[in-house]
Amino acid sequence: MASFPKTRLRRTRSHDWSRRLVRESALTPDDLIWTMVVSGTADPTEPVAAMPGVERLSVAEAAKAAKRARDLGIPAIAIFPHIDPALKDADGTEALNPDGLVPRAIKAMKDAAPEVGIICDVALDPFTDHGHDGVFEGGRILNDETVEKLVAQALVQAEAGCDVIAPSDMMDGRIGAIRGALDAGGFADTMIMSYAAKYASGFYGPYRSAIGSAALQGDKKTYQMDPANAEEALREVGMDIDEGADFVMVKPGIAYLDIVARVKDAFGVPTYAFQVSGEYAMIMAAAQNGWIDGDRVMMESLACFKRAGADGVLTYFAPKAAELLNG
Ligand code: PBG
């Protein structure tokens, strides 16, 4: 081990050029996945109260945003639907509508900017009147019945031109079932990004109002992971890779960087982190109060995902961060 005074680690920190030379990781627009809320209402944009700077976008505005992503060098957009409450039911039937909001958004965005990858969430919660991600019966979420619906939802998305199917539901066995159905349906090239280690987290709070999900009956602890667990995350990720996931994700982000690092170390596969709505809201709220420098903390937080080993970050900050990175 190097020792003082022969070694002074401050030496290489003393100039901008030497700091750049010893920098171990870098953030570029290529690392950003823009998380975007789309809405079927007539208004082109609607503000999201708990997420200053984030707006729900109409399909036409989402198509414009796809062009903006292309121009900013952002490789992909992950879309999340705000569904009209009148279309919600216990089974989340609207999730399977081939002319629904998500398929319409996919088509419009791919038409506008075919170079930008489109990632779609697979889960029933935006479409159910109980707010759960799956089939809810007798106070329980039924696993295998849910997987059947998720498979159908994924096929609707693939048919509409979605590039990456992203199951966020945490049912057991859904990656294998979706991979099999995509292959059998002629979608062998459609990719899967698994929300592999997704925790039952309070950090999702603002998202529920962003997509207008129904008031949740109970909680999601019987399917999303316990924040106390790490070994279990490695098992979840390992199983999803085995079932055919092309990309794996850890969610939430900043408080779970140990999981990101361990997943990347253990498997070496393309690994992503989701900087979720509550993380965005916390940074923005403190910035708006003048308590932190918002741009600085945004860039620092994104850079930390890269240092931890993430290959990219799903973030509501994507357009703003890309603008700063592009100078
Ligand atoms: C739904 C889903 C959630 C998020 C993405 N997909 C919420 C949840 O699981 O309750 C959270 C995104 C965010 O907080 O930004 N399956």
Side-chain angles (χ1 to χ4, degrees), residues 139-295:
R140 294 176 58 228
I141 302 295
L142 307 182
N143 193 87
D144 300 5
E145 291 77 354
T146 300
V147 169
E148 272 179 40
K149 297 218 175 226
L150 301 175
V151 164
Q153 182 183 20
L155 286 170
V156 165
Q157 296 175 350
E159 190 72 54
C162 174
D163 299 296
V164 184
I165 303 295
S168 73
D169 54 283
M170 289 299 281
M171 297 302 120
D172 289 324
R174 88 282 206 216
I175 300 299
I178 291 172
R179 184 70 270 162
L182 289 173
D183 289 354
F187 300 108
D189 293 332
T190 303
M191 298 169 234
I192 297 180
M193 174 180 280
S194 167
Y195 286 71
K198 176 171 176 179
Y199 289 85
S201 172
F203 286 108
Y204 310 147
Y207 173 85
R208 307 253 164 90
S209 66
I211 68 154
S213 48
L216 189 65
Q217 296 177 26
D219 58 47
K220 299 192 177 184
K221 290 180 186 168
T222 68
Y223 44 109
Q224 299 180 347
M225 280 184 58
D226 182 340
N229 295 357
E231 297 293 338
E232 190 186 344
L234 298 181
R235 298 180 72 193
E236 283 283 6
V237 170
M239 289 175 78
D240 284 1
I241 295 169
D242 190 50
E243 289 176 38
D246 301 284
F247 316 87
V248 296
M249 189 209 300
V250 174
K251 181 184 175 198
I254 283 289
Y256 294 79
L257 290 185
D258 59 320
I259 309 297
V260 173
R262 289 182 65 174
V263 165
K264 188 64 186 179
D265 279 356
F267 300 103
V269 301
T271 301
Y272 299 80
F274 196 143
Q275 183 179 49
V276 300
S277 57
E279 301 176 61
Y280 177 90
M282 283 164 33
I283 293 172
M284 290 304 288
Q288 286 193 335
N289 276 292
W291 296 336
I292 58 172
D293 175 338
D295 283 355

Side-chain angles (χ1 to χ4, degrees), residues 31 35 49 54 56 58 67 95 138 156 199 211 232-233 237 262 278 296 313 315:
D31 302 313
T35 49
V54 170
R56 294 195 275 263
S58 68
K67 290 186 187 163
V156 165
Y199 289 85
I211 68 154
E232 190 186 344
V237 170
R262 289 182 65 174
R296 182 174 172 186
V313 189
T315 176

Side-chain angles (χ1 to χ4, degrees), residues 64-84:
K64 284 188 211 158
K67 290 186 187 163
R68 185 169 168 223
R70 177 194 61 204
D71 297 344
L72 287 168
I74 295 171
I77 299 175
I79 59 178
F80 302 91
H82 179 279
I83 298 296
D84 179 351

